[in-house]
């Protein structure tokens, strides 16, 4: 196995390459002591910041506090692949059984609208996040993947995608993007490349300028529901915040937080970024459209061409830990780095000599039933959202707008979406860990068999993995 070329500036962790590019922000002041607000938001990632942003824009007199253990964007919001898309990982059939197909289609259309909503707010607030709405390219590199991609397009077109929203590409369609071994590709216009750290720090600034109090370096240790005349509260290491409503927007940090409300396990996601790729290599690869890129392997990866011409690629890490987890500083295991580098060089062998400059990882919420949720329990005064899996950059914005309407007591198209009020069934952490390891191994083996044996149909092992995972 070839040694991975590493830059002299190689770093592992340090939160993410995105924050290395911008510089780690200076911490805002922590909570000064016990306090009283109308709304208290726990977590300054995309969900929490979007919720505070839309609430304050809609009702400027609301007193809103956002509490963050580290700094805004420290978790998955500042570590993701920079893929803002209409992808939605929840089970459409699950939502449709409870709310009907039309409501599930409406959720998909709302995710499409969310891409333009995020870009419009970024422009209005003067947030330069290196955004390019180039759409998303999905590639298949063997016959089984091609069949799966064709079937996936047909499936999506039954659940809210029209032909213009996703379709197979002819060889000469669109800007040139040469992925080695590609036998088919599809395109969806509802996606944009983003530098996530720039977006989340810009959003935090916009929230503060609206008059929201953002306290960093303030660890929330528990959330208390309303009890009689006692108001809901967030308990921190610097004091207790009482509010009419407490919103839990902690995603990958949720399992370690005491208090009522839905819990979900977490899963690690890892990324690597190369040094800037030489112009002569880009001449061979193309990628002038700056689309976000994904493949159709079972253990899939996603990638982008950055504003300074690097390749950033990421994917689900091997599930060495499932359940309660902490992001830490983002240090990534050597095995995860190797898997991503080999995926990169399979797709772009011309870039095999470009050194890897940064590797990092983070935790995402991964519900047992694969379905994200937005909830408000009026009796307890608690609200929460999350479990987005790999679609958090878009879903966090849609959740923030939906929480706004729920907290303001409005019945709108957003509050009628089928993820509102959804509560999935959980299982023990030990069983979940074993099941997730088995599923991961089956998917990896299925990918190898489909490539090595030139299968024309999806491996039966992948079907077994799908049944075990509940997809």
């Amino acid at each position: 196995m070839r040694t991975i070329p590493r830059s002299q500036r190689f770093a592992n962790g340090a939160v993410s390459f995105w924050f290395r590019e911008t510089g780690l922000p200076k911490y805002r002041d922590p909570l000064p002591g016990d306090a009283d607000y109308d709304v208290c938001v726990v977590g300054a990632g995309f969900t929490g910041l979007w919720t505070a942003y839309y609430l304050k824009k809609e009702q400027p007199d609301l007193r809103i506090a956002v509490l963050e253990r580290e700094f805004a964007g420290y978790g998955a919001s500042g570590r993701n692949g920079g893929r803002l898309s209409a992808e939605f990982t929840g089970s459409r059939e699950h939502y449709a059984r409870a709310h009907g197909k039309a409501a599930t289609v409406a959720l998909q259309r709302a995710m499409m609208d969310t891409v333009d909503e995020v870009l419009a707010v970024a422009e209005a607030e003067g947030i330069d996040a290196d955004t390019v709405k180039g759409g998303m390219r999905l590639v298949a590199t063997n016959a089984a993947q091609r069949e799966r991609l064709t079937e996936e397009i047909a499936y999506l077109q039954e659940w809210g995608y029209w032909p213009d929203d996703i379709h197979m590409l002819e060889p000469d369609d669109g800007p040139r993007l040469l992925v080695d071994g590609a036998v088919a590709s599809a395109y969806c216009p509802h996606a944009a490349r983003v530098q996530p750290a720039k977006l989340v720090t810009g959003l935090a600034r916009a929230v503060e300028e609206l008059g929201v109090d953002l306290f960093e370096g303030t660890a929330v240790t528990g959330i208390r529901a309303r009890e009689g005349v006692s108001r809901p509260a967030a308990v921190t290491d610097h004091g207790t915040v009482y509010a009419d409503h407490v919103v839990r927007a902690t995603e990958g940090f949720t399992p370690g937080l005491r208090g009522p409300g839905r819990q979900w396990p977490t899963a690690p996601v890892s990324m690597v970024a190369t040094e800037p790729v030489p112009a002569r290599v880009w001449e061979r690869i193309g990628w002038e459209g700056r689309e976000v890129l994904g493949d159709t392997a079972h253990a899939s990866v996603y990638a982008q061409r950055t504003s300074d011409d690097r390749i950033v690629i990421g994917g689900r890490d091997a599930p060495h830990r499932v359940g309660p987890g902490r992001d830490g500083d983002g240090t990534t295991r050597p095995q995860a780095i190797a898997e991503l580098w080999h995926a990169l060089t399979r797709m772009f062998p011309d870039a095999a000599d470009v050194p890897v400059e940064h590797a990092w990882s983070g935790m995402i919420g991964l519900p047992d039933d694969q379905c994200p949720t937005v909830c408000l329990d009026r009796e307890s005064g608690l609200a929460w959202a999350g479990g987005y899996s790999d679609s958090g950059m878009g879903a966090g914005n849609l959740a923030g707008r939906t929480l706004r309407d729920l907290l303001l007591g409005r019945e709108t198209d957003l509050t009628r979406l089928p993820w509102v009020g959804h509560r999935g069934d959980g299982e023990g952490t030990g069983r979940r860990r074993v099941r997730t390891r088995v599923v991961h191994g089956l998917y990896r083996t299925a990918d190898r068999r489909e490539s090595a044996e030139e299968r024309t149909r999806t491996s039966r092992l992948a079907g077994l993995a799908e049944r075990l995972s509940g997809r």
Side-chain angles (χ1 to χ4, degrees):
M1 183 178 295
R2 180 179 171 180
T3 302
I4 300 172
R6 294 195 177 189
S7 169
Q8 293 183 349
R9 301 179 66 245
F10 176 78
N12 188 355
V15 184
S16 69
F17 166 76
W18 310 119
F19 274 113
R20 178 180 182 177
E21 188 176 46
T22 64
L24 292 176
K26 180 182 177 181
Y27 277 65
R28 294 173 173 86
D29 290 338
L31 180 73
D34 291 351
D36 185 282
Y37 286 87
D38 297 315
V39 179
C40 174
V41 178
V42 179
F46 282 127
T47 299
L49 293 174
W50 283 124
T51 301
Y53 177 85
Y54 287 112
L55 278 171
K56 197 67 173 177
K57 290 284 283 189
E58 189 69 22
Q59 191 169 322
D61 63 337
L62 279 178
R63 300 171 303 136
I64 303 173
V66 178
L67 307 177
E68 169 57 44
R69 191 188 74 184
E70 301 291 342
F71 55 79
Y74 177 81
S77 297
R79 308 186 191 206
N80 60 76
R83 178 184 55 170
L84 171 62
S85 78
E87 290 177 298
F88 189 73
T89 55
S91 167
R92 292 162 175 82
E93 289 82 1
H94 192 118
Y95 289 128
R97 281 194 293 271
H99 300 276
K101 185 171 183 178
T104 307
V105 168
L107 177 54
Q108 181 59 75
R109 302 304 297 182
M111 283 294 293
M112 293 177 185
D113 293 340
T114 293
V115 175
D116 290 329
E117 171 69 16
V118 172
L119 297 179
V121 173
E123 182 177 5
E125 297 294 344
I127 302 171
D128 182 1
D130 299 337
T131 56
V132 176
K133 191 184 178 187
M136 178 169 60
R137 187 84 66 99
L138 298 171
V139 297
T141 56
N142 59 50
Q145 289 184 19
R146 178 175 56 202
E147 180 189 55
R148 201 155 54 242
L149 180 58
T150 302
E151 292 174 349
E152 178 69 6
I153 291 173
Y155 171 79
L156 291 175
Q157 289 180 353
E158 294 181 359
W159 290 97
Y161 282 79
W162 316 149
D164 287 345
D165 297 315
I166 190 166
H167 54 270
M168 295 294 286
L169 290 174
E170 296 298 328
D172 296 330
D173 285 350
R176 185 173 63 91
L177 174 52
L178 181 62
V179 175
D180 192 63
V183 295
S185 64
Y187 178 74
C188 171
H190 304 293
R193 182 200 74 186
V194 178
Q195 208 282 28
K198 291 182 179 181
L199 179 60
V200 74
T201 55
L203 181 58
R205 171 189 53 77
V207 163
E208 274 196 308
E209 291 175 352
L210 289 172
V212 172
D213 292 333
L214 174 52
F215 301 109
E216 297 181 331
T218 301
V220 175
T221 57
I223 293 175
R224 296 203 298 250
R226 179 182 291 112
E227 294 185 5
V229 297
S230 178
R231 302 170 75 210
V235 181
T236 84
D237 55 352
H238 287 79
T240 299
V241 177
Y242 300 88
D244 295 332
H245 294 99
V246 176
V247 179
R248 192 188 72 220
T250 47
E251 188 61 349
F253 290 95
T254 300
L257 187 65
R258 297 195 305 273
R262 174 178 176 169
Q263 302 288 317
W264 44 70
T266 60
V269 174
S270 295
M271 308 285 304
V272 298
T274 69
E275 288 185 351
V277 176
R280 67 180 184 280
V281 176
W282 285 123
E283 288 176 2
R284 293 194 289 270
I285 294 174
W287 213 344
E288 294 89 354
R290 309 282 173 153
E291 310 98 312
V292 293
L293 175 67
D295 71 357
T296 50
H298 301 293
S300 59
V301 295
Y302 42 86
Q304 68 154 274
R305 177 179 177 177
T306 68
S307 62
D308 63 346
D309 291 332
R310 303 170 190 268
I311 296 175
V312 171
I313 188 169
R316 298 270 186 93
D317 198 355
H320 59 287
R321 58 189 191 278
V322 179
R326 291 171 64 94
D327 279 300
D329 71 347
T331 299
T332 302
R333 297 181 311 138
Q335 178 185 343
I337 297 172
E339 287 180 356
L340 290 172
W341 184 77
H342 286 295
L344 186 156
T345 55
R346 282 196 302 271
M347 298 174 83
F348 304 113
D350 288 327
D353 294 326
V354 180
V356 172
E357 187 169 312
H358 205 118
W360 70 99
S361 64
M363 305 296 288
I364 58 173
L366 192 66
D368 294 324
D369 64 359
Q370 306 291 318
C371 293
T373 185
V374 180
C375 288
L376 169 62
D377 185 330
R378 297 192 183 280
E379 182 177 349
S380 69
L382 303 184
W384 60 94
Y388 309 130
S389 187
D390 299 308
S391 57
M393 181 167 279
N397 175 275
L398 182 57
R401 287 182 282 136
T402 305
L403 284 167
R404 171 201 59 195
D405 291 351
L406 289 170
L407 292 168
L408 294 179
R410 299 174 176 175
E411 185 174 339
T412 67
D413 289 343
L414 295 182
T415 63
R416 288 187 286 270
L417 292 175
W419 67 343
V420 174
H422 173 75
R423 304 189 188 213
D425 297 326
E427 66 175 317
T429 300
R431 287 178 57 199
R432 182 189 305 126
R433 181 180 295 113
V434 171
R435 178 170 60 88
T436 305
R437 287 179 183 272
V438 171
V439 167
H440 182 89
L442 288 170
Y443 276 140
R444 298 278 175 170
T445 303
D447 280 331
R448 287 194 295 270
R449 288 188 176 183
E450 288 175 4
S451 295
E453 300 174 16
E454 297 184 357
R455 293 171 178 257
T456 59
R457 300 188 64 82
T458 292
S459 168
R460 292 181 179 179
L461 293 178
L464 176 59
E466 298 233 343
R467 292 192 292 275
L468 288 172
S469 67
R471 289 186 179 180

